[in-house]
Amino acid sequence: MNRIAVLTSGGDAPGMNAAIRAVVRSAVYFNLKVYGVYRGYKGLIEGNLIEMDASSVGDIIHKGGTILKSSRSEEFRTPEGRAKALKVLKEHQIDGLVVIGGDGSFRGAQELSEMGIKTIGIPGTIDNDLNYTEYTIGFDTAINTVLEAVTKIRDTSTSHEKATIIEVMGRSCGDLALYAGIAGGAESIIIPEEPGNIETIIAKIIQGKERGKLHHIIMLAEGSGNASDLQEKLLKQADVNARITVLGFIQRGGDPTSFDRILASKMGVMAVELLLNKKTNQVIGIKNNSLFNMDITESLTTEKTFNREMYKLNEILSI
């Protein structure tokens, strides 16, 4: 193992820069040459690589986004596209590749591993939708971004005595809505794992009004339906004129929290150590505050374990 490369792919997440920094600096520490691949697999196909050193990643640990940029590549999904990527890696004499991203990025790493390139995956996505690990890089920061918005929305909702639907990201995973909903004191949380029903939400709104509650925050995961449809149902069935706030891509930005910076730093160093130990087709995860590695294929087929205790916690606290 003499040369390695690192890329970020798919949706950006706060903490990716901290992971890039850890990969580059640990590679330098272990006397490896290290290259940064710009714009993910698209950039790899196009040969958009640059050699990096310790100074290349100075003053980035606190920054959101990714200095290596990110993109999605349809060409890489084809055998011809992957063959181009492999050729570029061979031309640069790169033995190992660290991929920071989500499930699609990991599948790309899996393909390259089968083609002879040693690959290690680091989970970077605000959705926390990689089932094998408790936390992904960027998830904690996204929760805090949502919380900041909820605090401000509650002020105006209380002033106007309104119910508010806050739609958050997460694709088919409800973790962001669940964790931010509990931490933000939401009265109702609607997630794909526990979609609930409109009658329960209406009953909570009425119950709240009867005891003098001036607002009702409904946290809606994007994978659970459309905010406008929910708004229409509330108006039609209960004469509740709810406001809608869709937080959108604001959830992906911002300076990473200390948790995400530390997690990314640990995972970046571990990725380089795994490559030095000739490991391949591996991903890094965290459980019970300890890092571990496992086969990419196994990680992608791991079934989600829904944290029902967290959901029950909100039921108890939101009365």
Side-chain angles (χ1 to χ4, degrees):
M1 187 64 59
N2 297 307
R3 299 186 181 198
I4 69 170
V6 57
L7 64 79
T8 52
S9 176
D12 60 298
M16 280 186 166
N17 280 329
I20 294 167
R21 174 179 178 269
V23 170
V24 171
R25 291 201 168 172
S26 55
V28 172
Y29 178 85
F30 290 116
N31 297 314
L32 301 175
K33 282 195 172 183
V34 57
Y35 291 79
V37 182
Y38 283 96
R39 298 178 183 85
Y41 290 118
K42 180 177 183 293
L44 185 57
I45 290 172
E46 296 170 351
N48 197 351
L49 285 73
I50 185 170
E51 187 173 351
M52 304 180 79
D53 57 26
S55 298
S56 303
V57 290
D59 200 31
I60 69 168
I61 191 172
H62 62 287
K63 293 180 179 179
T66 162
I67 62 166
L68 293 178
K69 313 304 178 192
S70 188
S71 67
R72 303 183 192 278
S73 174
E74 290 301 319
E75 185 178 6
F76 187 78
R77 296 174 184 269
T78 67
E80 295 79 12
R82 292 191 292 274
K84 289 180 183 178
L86 180 64
K87 182 180 178 183
V88 170
L89 290 169
K90 294 292 186 182
E91 286 174 348
H92 286 79
Q93 299 178 3
I94 291 170
D95 309 300
L97 178 66
V98 178
V99 175
I100 307 167
D103 55 355
S105 305
F106 286 179
R107 289 189 178 91
Q110 182 183 34
E111 295 279 1
L112 288 174
S113 179
E114 292 174 357
M115 297 168 76
I117 299 295
K118 289 182 171 56
T119 59
I120 304 295
I122 295 177
T125 166
I126 68 166
D127 299 331
N128 207 42
D129 60 350
L130 294 169
N131 301 335
Y132 76 94
T133 181
E134 287 182 354
Y135 300 110
T136 58
I137 296 168
F139 176 58
D140 186 68
T141 305
I143 291 172
N144 283 278
T145 299
V146 174
L147 280 179
E148 184 179 355
V150 170
T151 300
K152 294 176 179 178
I153 290 168
R154 178 181 281 106
D155 289 343
T156 186
S157 294
T158 301
S159 297
H160 291 269
E161 302 180 67
K162 293 278 188 180
T164 303
I165 302 166
I166 303 175
E167 183 180 309
V168 300
M169 299 173 87
R171 298 198 299 177
S172 59
C173 177
D175 281 7
L176 187 53
L178 179 60
Y179 282 68
I182 291 172
E187 282 71 32
S188 298
I189 298 176
I190 306 173
I191 54 178
E193 297 87 348
E194 287 284 348
N197 57 68
I198 189 69
E199 290 77 17
T200 301
I201 296 171
I202 291 172
K204 274 193 174 185
I205 293 174
I206 294 172
Q207 182 187 45
K209 283 185 175 181
E210 287 176 348
R211 65 183 182 87
K213 201 171 185 68
L214 300 178
H215 65 267
H216 190 96
I217 301 295
I218 302 169
M219 195 69 72
L220 174 68
E222 63 180 357
S224 296
N226 187 281
S228 296
D229 291 341
L230 178 58
Q231 180 189 47
E232 186 178 336
K233 289 178 182 178
L234 289 172
L235 184 61
K236 186 177 293 185
Q237 297 182 32
D239 196 30
V240 173
N241 188 14
R243 290 175 169 177
I244 293 175
T245 299
V246 180
L247 296 182
F249 289 113
I250 191 174
Q251 297 161 90
R252 279 194 187 168
D255 299 341
T257 60
S258 60
F259 179 88
D260 277 330
R261 297 182 200 191
I262 293 169
L263 179 63
S265 298
K266 288 180 176 180
M267 288 185 168
V269 173
M270 185 174 181
V272 174
E273 290 176 339
L274 287 172
L275 288 175
L276 284 170
N277 287 316
K278 300 182 180 180
K279 300 292 185 182
T280 186
N281 200 48
Q282 297 284 298
V283 290
I284 300 171
I286 182 170
K287 280 187 180 177
N288 300 321
N289 206 33
S290 295
L291 295 190
F292 67 93
N293 60 286
M294 69 185 298
D295 184 82
I296 291 180
T297 307
E298 185 181 351
S299 76
L300 293 172
T301 55
T302 301
E303 293 186 6
K304 182 176 178 62
T305 302
F306 177 58
N307 194 335
R308 197 165 299 280
E309 288 184 5
M310 285 283 285
Y311 188 77
K312 182 66 177 177
L313 179 64
N314 186 69
E315 285 187 352
I316 295 169
L317 298 178
S318 64
I319 57 172

